[in-house]
Amino acid sequence: MINRVVKNVEEALKDIKDGNTLMVGGFGLCGIPENCIAELVKKGVKNLTCISNNAGVDNFGLGLLLQTKQIKKMIASYVGENDEFERQMLSGELEVELVPQGTLATRCMAAGYGMPVIFTPAGVGTEVAIGKETRKFTFNGEEKEYLMEKAFEADFAIVKAWKGDTAGNLVFNSTARNFNPLMAMAGRITIAEVEELVPAGELDPDHIHTPGIYVHRIFQGQKYEKRIEQRTVRKK
Amino acid sequence: MLDKNGIAKRIAKEVKDGMFVNLGIGIPTLVANYIPEGVNVVLQSENGILGMGPFPFEGEESADLINAGKQTITLLKGSSIFDSAMSFGMIRSQKVNLTILGAMEVSENGDIANWKIPGKMVKGMGGAMDLVASAKNIIVAMQQVNKAGQSKFLAKCDLPLTGVRCVKKVVTELGVYEIAAQGGFKLLERAPGISIDEIKNATAGKLIIDGEIPEMQV
């Protein structure tokens, strides 16, 4: 078995450089690679392009990298929880490409499946379609216009899983799965931090969400905060 | 005039047994509270859930289990979890039968705008563009008139579009409307106590009134 384990987060991110494009897993603050984000802040790499569904909140998640102005361009679908993001975007300091959520997911998927483009109806007739090729297809008995969208290309994909083994196989927990397995497949180099790292053989092969072939580096994360964005509860 | 819960209650009557339903943030989320007993539906949340349940009891919430509004939730028996590509796969392939979402503006040909106010509010479209481009059955829950008293039922949307010619039905504080095939807001029901004149004053786009319009039952 090929061993994918690296010692720690420093070693995992050692060759990330200024100007790199990073995919960062998670939906909201759910399933984000907390250890890697903290290390990126510490490293101080700049001019990053980040592909992530959201941009964190002001003082957590990718919001930390916005505060330190390490992100040059953000590619995301929803950024409404972050005031600093909105400020940097409206002032023109931050370059932003807003992408429909399904398109974002599928552009990651396409990269992982080795397909250069996808066609989707999302965004046809809107400003998302400006400058993009459209084509008409008859599908499911209906003729419709579709927009051509390109697979993402990222130097690194940084994901977070619940469990992983030394062969790099990953299992996600509940809705912390979200974009993580898609981005894991899509990075030129994929780095996975996990809550629990186990020896190869301990995870049931039938229960693996991401096969280790996609995961180049894996390490056991530390001190997960797992912040909740909207705590909504009922009284007993 | 209906309040938010009234709008949600009226929309709940459009939800039929056996449907897979995606509810947007805001009024649409409230629809779940009014689905009649005996109507079995499965709620989809686009971050990767089928079978979303109510909020958890205090102390039982998990950071790993949230809905598309980032709220902590629970799962019902028979639920499933999947990644974001599969989530939009079932939306694009129309396995999800009904989409209910909010809007800032709707036009008489069924265009919808709900994601951006240029120079002011830029939150992003999230999954809304994917949903409106693919769903066969889209119901919009919205206020027909803004705080300044201007109609949000327009001949043509002023704000950047989320999708074109996609809205089928709209429920507002004043009534229930269908987007007519030839264009126009076709009034189907009036909210309790609302007159045709009030509806006319609140509609900037083409309004179609065909015969006697019943008052809605909520």
Side-chain angles (χ1 to χ4, degrees), chain A residues 54-56 77-83 85-86 229, chain B residues 70 122-124:
Chain A
N54 310 87
S77 89
Y78 190 82
V79 292
E81 293 94 356
N82 194 315
D83 293 339
F85 183 100
E86 200 160 25
E229 219 164 315
Chain B
K70 281 100 180 174
V122 192
K123 293 187 185 302

Side-chain angles (χ1 to χ4, degrees), chain B residues 6 11 20 30 48 65 71 75 80 106 112-113 118 125-126 132-133 138 150 157 159 161 177 182 185 189 196-197 209:
Chain B
I11 291 177
F20 293 88
L30 300 173
L65 181 51
Q71 297 169 311
L75 299 177
S80 55
V106 171
I112 177 172
M125 65 292 277
V132 300
I138 298 174
Q150 294 156 323
C157 292
L159 294 171
L161 295 182
Y177 308 80
Q182 75 278 18
F185 297 95
E189 297 170 22
I196 296 287
D197 277 345
I209 298 173

Side-chain angles (χ1 to χ4, degrees), chain A residues 39-52:
Chain A
E39 175 61 18
L40 287 169
V41 172
K42 212 169 109 196
K43 268 174 90 79
V45 281
K46 286 189 223 31
N47 293 321
L48 299 171
T49 294
C50 287
I51 303 167
S52 188

